[in-house]
Amino acid sequence: MGGPAVPKKSQNMFVRKTKTKSRIHPLRDKAYKDYEPHEKNLDYERHFRNKQYQHPFYREEDIRAILEKTGKHSKKDELNCGACGYDTCRDKAISVLEGLSHPQMCMPFMRSEAEKISNIYFEYSPSIIVIADLSLNILDLNPMGESAFNTTIGKIRNQPLSSIMPTEDFTEVINTGESMVGKKLNLESYGKIMYERIIYLPKNKIL
Ligand code: SF4
C-alpha cells in the first residue's frame, strides 16, 4: 500500500487501498482449483542481490593523517563526542578517506579554529577592546588598550572599569539592555578622543 518504493506520482493511499480490496475480494472465498489460468500463473519471483557495503582497508598512517588535519595528534585529542554523526573520531577519519565527509566536519575543531581567529582579532585589533563583567570589573584588555591606558591587563584584571575610564555609558547599557554604538568619548587624562561601541552580552554576563 505504501513504502519507499511507491512512485511519487502514484494515486493516493485511499485509491490504492480500494483497488487492492476490489482485486482481493473476489478471490477470498475461491478455492485454488477454481482460479482462472491467469490467476494461477501470477509471477511472485523476485531477485535479490547482496548490496552489503564492504569497507575498504585503509592504512593506519592514512587514518592518522586525517586525524592530524583536525588537531588530533594523540589518543587524548580524540574526543569521540559523536557530534559529527560518527561514533568515534577514527570512524569519522575513515569516512573522509571514503569520500563521505570532509575533514573539517568536526565541531570541537571548528570551535577551536573560530576561537583562534577571535583571539587573533583581539590581540592585533587596531581598536581598544575591553571586556568587563556586569559588576563593571575588568576581565580582559587587548594590547592596544594596554598601550592607550598605559597599563597592563595583569595590573588591572578584576579591578573596577572606572579605574581606567568613565563607566556611565556602561551602566546605561546594562540598565537599558541595549548595546551602544558610535558614541564620542573624550578621555582628557589620556589626551584621546574615542568612539565607544559597547556590546551587551547578557547570556555571557559580559560587555
Ligand atoms: S565531532 Fe570531532 S571530536 Fe567529535 S567524534 Fe567527530 S571527529 Fe571526533
Side-chain angles (χ1 to χ4, degrees):
M1 299 306 305
V6 174
K8 282 196 173 61
K9 288 182 182 168
S10 70
Q11 290 159 312
N12 67 48
M13 174 81 168
F14 177 75
V15 174
R16 296 202 304 273
K17 201 170 178 179
T18 308
K19 276 188 173 177
T20 307
K21 273 185 179 171
S22 65
R23 285 282 191 85
I24 293 171
H25 189 71
L27 300 174
R28 199 172 55 187
D29 302 320
K30 203 168 175 182
Y32 182 74
K33 64 180 173 57
D34 299 326
Y35 277 22
E36 300 295 330
H38 73 275
E39 292 169 345
K40 283 182 181 174
N41 295 330
L42 284 173
D43 181 12
Y44 292 109
E45 190 172 299
R46 287 288 178 274
H47 297 276
F48 300 94
R49 63 190 166 88
N50 186 357
K51 293 183 186 173
Q52 188 186 14
Y53 179 68
Q54 296 292 344
H55 289 276
F57 174 78
Y58 294 105
R59 296 178 311 161
E60 181 62 23
E61 53 263 45
D62 293 334
I63 296 171
R64 284 247 54 89
I66 298 293
L67 289 168
E68 292 276 341
K69 277 189 185 174
T70 51
K72 293 162 187 48
H73 307 293
S74 66
K75 269 280 169 208
K76 73 174 171 45
D77 296 326
E78 294 175 30
L79 302 178
N80 300 326
C81 66
C84 56
Y86 295 90
D87 288 339
T88 66
C89 300
R90 278 183 73 84
D91 287 351
K92 156 74 177 17
I94 290 168
S95 81
V96 172
L97 291 169
E98 288 175 325
L100 298 174
S101 69
H102 196 272
Q104 271 70 33
M105 282 168 53
C106 168
M107 287 295 283
F109 174 72
M110 293 302 285
R111 185 176 175 171
S112 79
E113 288 298 291
E115 281 171 358
K116 272 187 213 159
I117 290 167
S118 63
N119 285 345
I120 289 169
Y121 180 74
F122 185 81
E123 286 295 313
Y124 297 101
S125 172
S127 304
I128 297 167
I129 302 175
V130 58
I131 301 172
D133 62 22
L134 297 188
S135 303
L136 295 184
N137 293 315
I138 298 165
L139 298 177
D140 213 346
L141 180 69
N142 72 340
M144 182 55 81
E146 290 180 324
S147 161
F149 294 122
N150 300 319
T151 187
T152 62
I153 181 60
K155 286 183 192 164
I156 59 168
R157 181 170 279 130
N158 297 322
Q159 297 297 312
L161 184 59
S162 57
S163 63
I164 58 168
M165 64 186 295
T167 56
E168 290 78 11
D169 293 338
F170 289 84
T171 305
E172 187 184 330
V173 166
I174 293 172
N175 290 341
T176 61
E178 290 195 8
S179 300
M180 184 181 285
V181 177
K183 184 171 176 189
K184 197 171 175 181
L185 182 66
N186 188 357
L187 295 176
E188 282 180 21
S189 55
Y190 298 101
K192 294 185 190 309
I193 294 174
M194 302 177 184
Y195 287 91
E196 283 182 313
R197 181 175 294 177
I198 305 174
I199 311 295
Y200 182 47
L201 300 170
K203 277 189 190 162
N204 306 77
K205 297 185 178 157
I206 56 170
L207 36 73

